[in-house]
Amino acid sequence: MAKTFRVGLIGYKFMGRAHSNAWRQAPKFFDLKANIEMHTICGRDAAAVQAARAKLGWQFAATDWREVVESPLIDIVDIGTPTFTHAEIAIAALKNGKHVLLEKPMGRDLKECEAIFAAAKKSKCVHMIGHNYRRIPAIALAKRMMTEGALGKIYHFRARYAQDRLADPEFPVDWRLQKETSGSGVHSDINSHIIDLARYLVGEFTDVCGIVHTFIPERPRGDLLAKGKRQLGKVTAPDSAAFIGWMEGGVMANLEATRYALGRRNHIEIEINGSKGSIYFDFEDMNKLKFYNGDDPKDRQGFRDILVTQRDGVQPYVANWWPPGHGLGYEHTFVHAVADFVNACADGKPVQPTFEDGLKNQRVLTAVEESSAKGKWVKV
Ligand SMILES: NC(=O)c1ccc[n+]([C@@H]2O[C@H](COP(=O)([O-])OP(=O)(O)OC[C@H]3O[C@@H](n4cnc5c(N)ncnc54)[C@H](O)[C@@H]3O)[C@@H](O)[C@H]2O)c1
């Protein structure tokens, strides 16, 4: 008989909704190696978490995360809370023998990430960071093509994660823009995603040179706006960042994270150039991967669009969904992550990206901040 994993989810807002959907859908679309019970959802506001429980499909609600991580009824703890809570909750969950799915960025700084990874190494638990973009079918296909050498020797990795919501100076300051709650603001929030994709697709960073910056140092306080008052609060974390770097094998890297790119809503753009070809991806057109094959006959060379929706099992993940051309969205990336995570828990095997990946990611984030502060190149 297949094992049943009882899941406890901490946090019920943005990621809480995305993860609840994934826990609901994964067993319906994938043949998992274990059953899932959506056991407990946790948040601090009793009425709000009860409402979330009913709406998102959980059996029980809790108002203290300790109840969840200490409960003998729970096998998997899924953490979708602000970054400043990650280390405490993840370490407690691991100490209590729970498998842990932890949202990115892993922690606020290197010290927290090292402590989380040390707790994971001490445990026998399976651990995964919520870098869901690895599991976009087009990105998973790009990974396969890179592994097969379709691009030859890699020269350039370029990525830009651009949104535009901070371009409005009235957009409130919340936990994401405070150093003590977010770690390093937009830098750790969204640069961490493209650093993860760089490491996944190409390899490790060795040296970086970067700038982190705060364009608008004061914004209306979100907590007071909710009460009908307007008072400015300080933005204490970077709201944009960019860096260049060297990766192993002599790959030149160029990454940028901003929320000031008017017209860009969730533009995750990646281009990789190699001796035999190039690939290009844009999340806002996420069902496609563009591929330039340098071996094509000269008279018909050009980027081709690969529509990554084939159902015959040749393209990653899509066989479990709809007929070709029917398209997947943001939410499917979380379903894929949960499906892979549950199978890894059933097998007791690691699943990428692990907490070691989270720690290596943080080393790059920290090196970029140090480079910006010192105005010089820093080794990762
Ligand atoms: N993978 C992605 O694409 C992605 C996207 C957005 C956010 N994230 C990450 O997910 C995490 C959560 O972000 P979000 O956007 O969902 O934030 P959010 O502010 O929308 O929601 C945070 C949730 O955590 C709860 N919470 C806060 N402190 C808590 C505590 N002490 N105990 C219990 N619950 C608590 C809040 O009540 C809320 O339900 C962050 O680490 C963020 O970086 C990942």
Side-chain angles (χ1 to χ4, degrees):
M1 262 245 311
K3 193 175 166 45
T4 296
F5 289 122
R6 293 200 189 104
V7 183
L9 172 66
I10 327 280
Y12 55 82
K13 283 201 182 151
F14 182 15
M15 281 306 101
R17 292 174 64 227
H19 287 220
S20 296
N21 179 63
W23 289 109
R24 267 199 319 271
Q25 300 302 339
K28 298 193 167 69
F29 287 86
F30 288 79
D31 295 323
L32 302 181
K33 295 181 181 175
N35 301 312
I36 290 169
E37 223 178 87
M38 292 174 65
H39 195 272
T40 301
I41 187 164
C42 173
R44 292 156 304 171
D45 180 318
V49 75
Q50 268 302 343
R53 183 201 63 73
K55 187 158 192 165
L56 300 175
W58 296 85
Q59 292 175 42
F60 304 99
T63 51
D64 185 347
W65 60 263
R66 286 171 192 82
E67 247 181 76
V68 180
V69 302
E70 287 166 12
S71 167
L73 298 176
I74 298 290
D75 306 289
I76 290 175
V77 173
D78 179 2
I79 305 170
T81 49
T83 312
F84 72 98
T85 65
H86 288 186
E88 200 183 3
I89 303 177
I91 291 169
L94 289 161
K95 280 189 178 156
N96 280 282
K98 315 299 181 196
H99 301 305
V100 180
L101 173 52
L102 172 62
E103 260 308 336
K104 46 52 62 179
M106 187 178 189
R108 283 175 293 186
D109 52 31
L110 259 185
K111 210 171 139 203
E112 281 194 344
C113 294
E114 277 161 359
I116 300 171
F117 181 52
K121 273 207 298 192
K122 250 194 209 167
S123 78
K124 290 194 173 72
C125 306
V126 175
H127 40 91
M128 185 195 216
I129 298 280
H131 283 298
N132 52 306
Y133 295 118
R134 284 190 184 207
R135 287 178 168 82
I136 297 166
I139 293 291
L141 178 63
K143 169 70 178 173
R144 184 192 293 171
M145 290 166 68
M146 301 291 292
T147 307
E148 290 172 358
L151 267 57
K153 177 182 163 42
I154 306 304
Y155 296 120
H156 291 285
F157 176 89
R158 169 186 286 270
R160 182 169 190 234
Y161 197 146
Q163 301 179 334
D164 63 2
R165 65 174 189 245
L166 293 182
D168 177 359
E170 286 301 302
F171 190 93
V173 50
D174 61 5
W175 69 264
R176 285 179 182 76
L177 289 170
Q178 302 281 342
K179 187 169 176 49
E180 59 277 20
T181 44
S182 74
S184 49
V186 167
H187 178 48
S188 53
D189 193 351
I190 56 179
N191 245 348
S192 67
H193 271 309
I194 51 179
I195 289 168
D196 183 67
L197 291 176
R199 292 188 54 256
Y200 179 53
L201 294 170
V202 175
E204 300 299 340
F205 287 86
T206 57
D207 304 81
V208 294
C209 180
I211 42 177
V212 301
H213 184 63
T214 305
F215 282 109
I216 299 183
E218 288 190 323
R219 292 173 172 276
R221 278 178 49 181
D223 54 339
L224 295 180
L225 276 184
K227 293 176 189 151
K229 287 187 210 152
R230 189 183 178 284
Q231 188 184 312
L232 292 180
K234 285 208 182 333
V235 174
T236 54
D239 62 18
S240 21
F243 68 99
I244 54 172
W246 289 108
M247 301 177 75
E248 58 190 8
V251 178
M252 216 184 250
N254 188 335
L255 288 83
E256 180 191 357
T258 181
R259 289 197 162 120
Y260 286 90
L262 273 175
R264 299 297 188 191
R265 299 291 148 80
N266 200 46
H267 180 66
I268 305 172
E269 178 188 45
I270 294 186
E271 182 161 313
I272 307 175
N273 310 113
S275 57
K276 286 167 66 175
S278 297
I279 56 176
Y280 176 85
F281 171 80
D282 173 5
F283 182 77
E284 290 175 347
D285 197 9
M286 65 172 278
N287 287 287
K288 285 187 191 149
L289 182 67
K290 286 184 187 291
F291 174 49
Y292 178 95
N293 181 1
D295 291 336
D296 280 347
K298 285 252 178 296
D299 63 342
R300 61 207 71 174
Q301 283 182 344
F303 273 95
R304 70 178 78 142
D305 278 340
I306 304 173
L307 186 62
V308 193
T309 58
Q310 283 301 106
R311 213 188 182 181
D312 47 16
V314 296
Q315 291 174 334
Y317 298 112
V318 284
N320 293 66
W321 297 100
W322 317 118
H326 286 59
L328 301 190
Y330 179 63
E331 70 274 27
H332 296 88
T333 63
F334 294 95
V335 181
H336 302 161
V338 158
D340 288 347
F341 182 70
V342 168
N343 288 337
C345 293
D347 290 340
K349 289 196 176 140
V351 58
Q352 50 85 14
T354 63
F355 284 7
E356 186 170 13
D357 287 302
L359 174 58
K360 287 181 173 171
N361 192 313
Q362 183 61 45
R363 288 200 180 113
V364 183
L365 291 167
T366 302
V368 171
E369 282 190 280
E370 192 186 328
S371 164
S372 179
K374 293 182 174 163
K376 59 181 192 189
W377 282 85
V378 170
K379 288 221 168 294
V380 177

